[in-house]
Amino acid sequence: MASVRLLHLSKLFFVFCLLLQIRFSLSSKNAILPLKVQKFAPGSLTKPPKKLSFHHNVTLTVTLAVGSPPQQVTMVLDTGSELSWLHCKKTPTTPLSYDPLHSTSYTPVPCTSSICMTRTRDFTIPASCDPKKLCHAILSYADATSVEGNLAHDAFRFTDLVLPGVIFGCMDRDSSSNQDEDSKTTGLMGLNRGSLSFVTQMGYPKFSYCISDLDSTGVLLFGEFHFSWLPPLSYTPLVKITTPLPSFDRVAYTVQLEGIKVSETVLPLPKSIFEPDHTGAGQTMVDSGTQFTFLLGPVYTALRNEFLKQTKNVLRVYEDPNFVFQGAMDLCYRVEGSGAGLPVLPSVRMMVRGGEMVVPGPRLLYKVAGLTKGSDDIYCFTFGNSDLLGIEAYVIGHHHQQNMWMEFDLANSRVGFAEVRCDSAAQKLGIDL
């Protein structure tokens, strides 16, 4: 699910803000907004921002430029990954690529560099030395995707801002579990707390985003800000461990899940079931690189049963034991395709230390594209079973972060959130969506 120096951008008077456009169908693969800049009124921010633009379907993506002269790239925004990387070899499955041979500012990282020897410590697979004595990295993800190639430096460009010497992976081999979706992007932008993540290299103390559920847009900002219209955020501290554990991702945005409610019914589970065990398995990660939310088996089963109980009179279960949506979501429903829409559904609240993340009823079911049963559409429950994916963690995906202002405060080791109409937030920021 992820520098020679930090770029001390605190001396510059702006914050990055990326507009999001959300790709809900394969036919809209070219619907990526260009980068744009928006000036702010003096005094409206403690550290005035600057903006870009961003997209999502199963992933959130941003378009920017890399190299000298600039080459346009499209990257997945992933708070669950550290190293940013680009496909550096064009193939039938990776038609979008960056060509290092055409960039005069591209510099590979030697394997003797301290970057390769010490700053890759949080990689699942240790970096190594290739035959050319360059730093070689292999990155693997929970969905069975993997990429490998060399670490390098190059300039990343956001309209009139140039970030020189950003460390990234120039990948020439990959194995994908979703080639059609991955063919639409050039790479990935790692935004976790690791030393090589993009946000760490930028030197910003925090970033925030807000994803709309209505018009496929949203906004993301890097840096300090203060908006009078933003409601107070609930803050939950990041979980830290002092001793490295084999199954615990130390640089993820890990929060402590303490319980789950369906409407006002709290699932009858002990708090200990939500806590990492002695190996570190069972942490709860806030991950923009994952679409839906996944729970460990016993918790998923309890939630599934309570949701079934509360909706038995308004929803009709899709009875097909051989159908499991995306390999981990086994609760689906038949909904009349007459255009009447979904019935009123109970909300689900994820109770984290310091607050509750509310998932309203309409966001609990997701229409399966291209699948019908007679005149009925098929909708699936948007919580899945981590056990079916083979991952030992709770993961809060971006679908359940829609219409929620999400703040990742690296300086204070916490995540903040508040319910916000994200389309309205973008308008207040003066962004033309």
Side-chain angles (χ1 to χ4, degrees):
M1 295 175 290
S3 86
V4 176
R5 57 191 174 84
L6 291 178
L7 301 175
H8 294 291
L9 300 183
S10 59
K11 296 180 181 178
L12 302 177
F13 296 101
F14 49 72
V15 170
F16 287 104
C17 173
L18 292 87
L19 301 176
L20 298 167
Q21 180 177 14
I22 304 176
R23 290 196 309 253
F24 285 112
S25 67
L26 301 181
S27 63
S28 55
K29 64 180 181 178
N30 294 321
I32 299 177
L33 297 178
L35 275 64
K36 79 182 282 186
V37 176
Q38 174 70 34
K39 302 297 183 181
F40 282 72
S44 63
L45 305 168
T46 57
K47 183 184 176 184
K50 181 177 175 105
K51 327 184 173 82
L52 288 183
S53 96
F54 119 43
H55 272 240
H56 114 82
N57 167 18
V58 295
T59 56
L60 308 175
T61 64
V62 62
T63 299
L64 59 148
V66 176
S68 305
Q71 301 176 43
Q72 182 171 292
V73 299
T74 300
M75 304 178 76
V76 174
L77 294 172
D78 189 1
T79 60
S81 297
E82 179 175 0
L83 184 70
S84 300
W85 55 265
L86 296 169
H87 289 299
C88 290
K89 183 178 181 181
K90 184 175 291 188
T91 70
T93 58
T94 59
L96 302 180
S97 64
Y98 152 85
D99 186 353
L101 297 178
H102 285 83
S103 174
T104 58
S105 50
Y106 174 85
T107 307
V109 173
C111 54
T112 54
S113 165
S114 61
I115 296 168
C116 190
M117 297 172 66
T118 63
R119 293 184 63 184
T120 59
R121 63 185 179 276
D122 292 310
F123 288 11
T124 305
I125 301 172
S128 61
C129 206
D130 77 357
K132 296 181 180 180
K133 299 190 182 305
L134 299 178
C135 188
H136 187 78
I138 300 175
L139 305 178
S140 59
Y141 301 92
D143 65 354
T145 295
S146 65
V147 292
E148 64 177 293
N150 296 119
L151 264 60
H153 305 271
D154 210 338
F156 279 57
R157 303 169 183 272
F158 301 89
T159 58
D160 59 349
L161 175 74
V162 179
L163 306 176
V166 173
I167 301 166
F168 71 105
C170 188
M171 304 307 193
D172 54 16
R173 277 185 275 182
D174 74 283
S175 174
S176 174
S177 61
N178 189 343
Q179 292 185 349
D180 187 68
E181 188 64 33
D182 292 345
S183 69
K184 301 171 186 176
T185 61
T186 321
L188 177 145
M189 182 180 288
L191 292 172
N192 74 8
R193 300 184 299 122
S195 69
L196 289 179
S197 82
F198 190 77
V199 68
T200 300
Q201 292 190 62
M202 286 173 67
Y204 273 120
K206 68 174 63 172
F207 66 95
S208 306
Y209 56 67
C210 196
I211 309 166
S212 172
D213 67 333
L214 290 181
D215 54 5
S216 305
T217 56
V219 47
L220 171 106
L221 298 88
F222 286 97
E224 292 283 356
F225 57 85
H226 175 72
F227 301 123
S228 60
W229 47 263
L230 186 65
L233 304 187
S234 296
Y235 285 99
T236 183
L238 295 177
V239 175
K240 295 182 179 180
I241 60 169
T242 55
T243 303
L245 297 175
S247 299
F248 192 93
D249 185 344
R250 294 182 297 170
V251 291
Y253 295 101
T254 299
V255 300
Q256 186 56 63
L257 186 62
E258 296 184 328
I260 297 177
K261 290 180 183 177
V262 182
S263 190
E264 294 304 316
T265 300
V266 179
L267 299 183
L269 297 167
K271 283 189 176 182
S272 59
I273 202 170
F274 298 101
E275 297 172 353
D277 65 16
H278 66 284
T279 69
Q283 70 187 113
T284 299
M285 298 179 284
V286 182
D287 184 9
S288 70
T290 299
Q291 185 176 16
F292 300 116
T293 295
F294 297 93
L295 308 172
L296 292 181
V299 177
Y300 170 75
T301 299
L303 174 60
R304 183 185 192 277
N305 290 342
E306 183 61 32
F307 189 77
L308 277 167
K309 178 181 175 182
Q310 293 195 26
T311 60
K312 64 182 179 181
N313 294 325
V314 296
L315 288 175
R316 185 166 39 129
V317 175
Y318 177 44
E319 303 284 1
D320 183 351
N322 296 317
F323 179 72
V324 180
F325 182 52
Q326 294 195 358
M329 302 155 87
D330 61 0
L331 178 57
C332 299
Y333 295 93
R334 296 178 62 160
V335 178
E336 290 185 15
S338 61
L342 296 172
V344 176
L345 300 174
S347 63
V348 170
R349 296 171 181 263
M350 292 179 280
M351 304 156 64
V352 297
R353 191 170 294 159
E356 296 182 353
M357 298 180 71
V358 181
V359 183
R363 217 159 295 145
L364 294 174
L365 294 183
Y366 185 85
K367 184 178 178 180
V368 180
L371 180 61
T372 59
K373 192 71 173 178
S375 61
D376 296 335
D377 294 321
I378 304 301
Y379 284 75
C380 291
F381 193 44
T382 54
F383 283 83
N385 189 339
S386 294
D387 295 0
L388 295 180
L389 290 180
I391 59 174
E392 297 181 303
Y394 301 94
V395 181
I396 301 174
H398 64 71
H399 183 76
H400 291 163
Q401 299 171 43
Q402 290 179 4
N403 274 347
M404 195 174 294
W405 189 276
M406 299 293 302
E407 177 184 284
F408 297 81
D409 187 346
L410 287 76
N412 295 300
S413 298
R414 62 184 185 174
V415 173
F417 55 92
E419 292 183 59
V420 171
R421 284 302 305 261
C422 295
D423 53 346
S424 176
Q427 291 172 5
K428 286 183 171 66
L429 289 169
I431 299 167
D432 181 11
L433 298 178

